């Protein structure tokens, strides 16, 4: 769910050039795209351990949706440190200089986390895929998890026999609103029937169990958990290939232009480099192994 100095031969020329540049900048409108491409925060001065410009001084406010689903969280309790995203959140907090007692959790609906508007959290962690469209409204950290989308259907159904994207086109498919799961239905499968859209994954699972849809699309680790523990008469039909060869990644969501963006990105990058993210993934997502690829 998370961018050369000029050599001047003479001092007089440099002074004149600087004055001229200052005048030009003051008079000319600055392009939005260039501003948006600039790093949101300066790591040099704002990333002092435990002293970031957070919502509450000395605290780190982290948001996620409610309920908090497994395997990303455990027992619907983000603060217990169990589950992949809870563990990642606390690892990032520690990297930023905040221990567990300094972390404050906040409930924010999935779709609201990356909607335009001022945020009440320092960062949100909720399986939010990084995308160019979402970057127009919020900042993202670098990716903390590479993910694929998967299709779930009831065992013995027509949908369960699908082996290609073409086999899915005539089916009634469902997914949670605002997700890349829904995007894959609309943009990759392009079904002949309009997709069923749900506010929560729980509603999508209920629709599948009740036969209101032929199949639902979720991320692969969630698919493994649903079929193993929640809808045990369902199976993973397969997973989609990444589009254009670019891996889909979850990123931490921050307010647009947040001074914390570079700090949080630096923390995620450090955790990836030292193997912490891989260790957390192995602990909490070990069941998310290969599934057939739908082409």
């Amino acid at each position: 769910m998370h961018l050369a100095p000029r050599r001047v031969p003479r001092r007089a020329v440099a002074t004149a050039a600087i004055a001229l540049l200052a005048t030009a900048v003051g008079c000319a409108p600055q392009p939005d795209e260039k501003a948006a491409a600039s790093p949101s925060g300066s790591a040099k001065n704002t990333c002092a351990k435990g002293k970031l410009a957070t919502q509450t001084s000395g605290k780190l406010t982290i948001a996620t949706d409610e309920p908090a689903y497994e395997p990303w969280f455990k027992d619907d309790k983000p603060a217990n440190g169990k589950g992949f995203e809870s563990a990642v959140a606390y690892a990032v907090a520690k990297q930023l200089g905040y221990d567990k007692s300094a972390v404050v959790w906040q409930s924010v609906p999935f779709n609201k986390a990356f909607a335009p508007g001022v945020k009440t959290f320092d960062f949100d962690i909720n399986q939010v895929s990084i995308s160019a469209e979402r970057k127009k409204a919020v900042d993202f950290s670098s990716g903390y998890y590479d993910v694929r989308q998967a299709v779930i259907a009831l065992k013995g159904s027509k949908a369960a026999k699908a082996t290609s994207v073409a086999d899915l086109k005539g089916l009634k498919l469902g997914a949670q609103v605002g997700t890349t799961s829904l995007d894959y239905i609309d943009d990759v499968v392009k079904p002949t029937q309009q997709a069923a859209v749900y506010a929560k994954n729980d509603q999508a699972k209920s629709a599948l169990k009740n036969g209101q849809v032929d199949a639902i699309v979720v991320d692969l680790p969630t698919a493994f958990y649903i079929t193993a523990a929640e809808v045990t008469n369902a199976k993973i039909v397969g997973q989609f290939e990444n589009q254009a060869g670019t891996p889909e990644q979850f990123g931490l969501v921050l307010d647009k232009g947040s001074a914390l963006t570079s700090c949080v990105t630096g923390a995620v990058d450090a955790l990836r480099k030292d193997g912490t993210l891989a260790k957390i993934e192995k602990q909490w997502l070990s069941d998310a192994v290969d599934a057939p690829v739908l082409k």
Side-chain angles (χ1 to χ4, degrees), residues 171-200:
L171 303 177
K172 182 67 174 180
L173 304 175
Q176 183 177 346
V177 65
T179 59
T180 50
S181 302
L182 182 59
D183 291 340
Y184 267 74
I185 294 175
D186 292 337
D187 302 335
V188 178
V189 179
K190 299 178 182 177
T192 55
Q193 303 180 59
Q194 186 174 355
V197 183
Y198 303 97
K200 300 279 187 181

Side-chain angles (χ1 to χ4, degrees), residues 84 144 271-272 274-284:
F84 178 77
Y144 61 87
L271 294 171
R272 184 179 289 277
D274 70 12
T276 299
L277 289 181
K279 183 179 179 181
I280 295 173
E281 181 179 335
K282 184 177 181 180
Q283 179 180 2
W284 295 106

Side-chain angles (χ1 to χ4, degrees), residues 8-264:
V8 183
R10 300 177 189 276
R11 181 174 299 188
V13 175
T15 303
I18 291 170
L20 182 60
L21 179 61
T23 302
V25 171
C27 296
Q30 301 305 298
D32 291 338
E33 287 185 4
K34 191 170 183 180
S38 301
S40 299
S42 172
K44 186 183 294 183
N45 299 318
T46 63
C47 297
K49 297 279 188 179
K51 297 181 180 179
L52 278 63
T54 54
Q55 294 282 337
T56 302
S57 180
K59 300 286 186 181
L60 188 67
T61 302
I62 304 176
T64 196
D65 202 355
E66 185 179 5
Y69 297 109
E70 297 194 27
W72 310 105
F73 298 91
K74 188 76 174 173
D75 302 324
D76 193 19
K77 296 177 180 178
N80 65 14
K82 299 177 181 180
F84 178 77
E85 289 194 327
S86 181
V88 168
Y90 282 116
V92 171
K94 183 179 180 181
Q95 192 72 28
L96 294 173
Y98 296 88
D99 60 25
K100 195 169 183 178
S101 65
V103 172
V104 178
W105 285 91
Q106 186 180 99
S107 176
V108 173
F110 177 82
N111 233 20
K112 190 176 180 181
F114 50 86
V118 177
K119 307 306 177 192
T120 56
F121 50 78
D122 294 312
F123 68 77
D124 178 278
I125 183 166
N126 190 22
Q127 308 112 67
V128 181
S129 295
I130 301 168
S131 72
E133 183 63 29
R134 289 171 179 172
K135 282 183 177 179
K136 294 176 183 178
V138 294
D139 281 358
F140 280 97
S141 71
S142 52
Y144 61 87
Y145 181 68
D146 297 350
V147 67
R148 286 194 177 191
Q149 299 299 318
V151 179
I152 301 174
L154 296 181
K155 295 174 182 176
S157 66
K158 178 183 177 181
K161 299 174 184 176
T163 58
S164 67
V165 172
D167 292 339
L168 302 173
K169 287 188 180 294
L171 303 177
K172 182 67 174 180
L173 304 175
Q176 183 177 346
V177 65
T179 59
T180 50
S181 302
L182 182 59
D183 291 340
Y184 267 74
I185 294 175
D186 292 337
D187 302 335
V188 178
V189 179
K190 299 178 182 177
T192 55
Q193 303 180 59
Q194 186 174 355
V197 183
Y198 303 97
K200 300 279 187 181
N201 259 341
D202 279 345
Q203 296 171 344
K205 288 181 287 187
S206 295
L208 177 64
K209 286 191 284 188
N210 295 332
Q212 295 168 310
V213 292
D214 298 311
I216 60 173
V217 178
V218 296
D219 58 77
L220 187 56
T222 298
F224 274 98
Y225 182 77
I226 289 174
T227 53
E230 297 183 316
V231 189
T232 54
N233 63 330
K235 62 171 284 187
I236 297 174
V237 178
Q239 61 179 310
F240 293 105
E241 292 182 296
N242 286 319
Q243 298 304 294
T246 303
E248 178 186 347
Q249 291 186 314
F250 291 157
L252 305 177
V253 181
L254 299 95
D255 202 357
K256 187 67 177 174
S258 172
L260 304 184
T261 301
S262 60
C263 307
V264 174

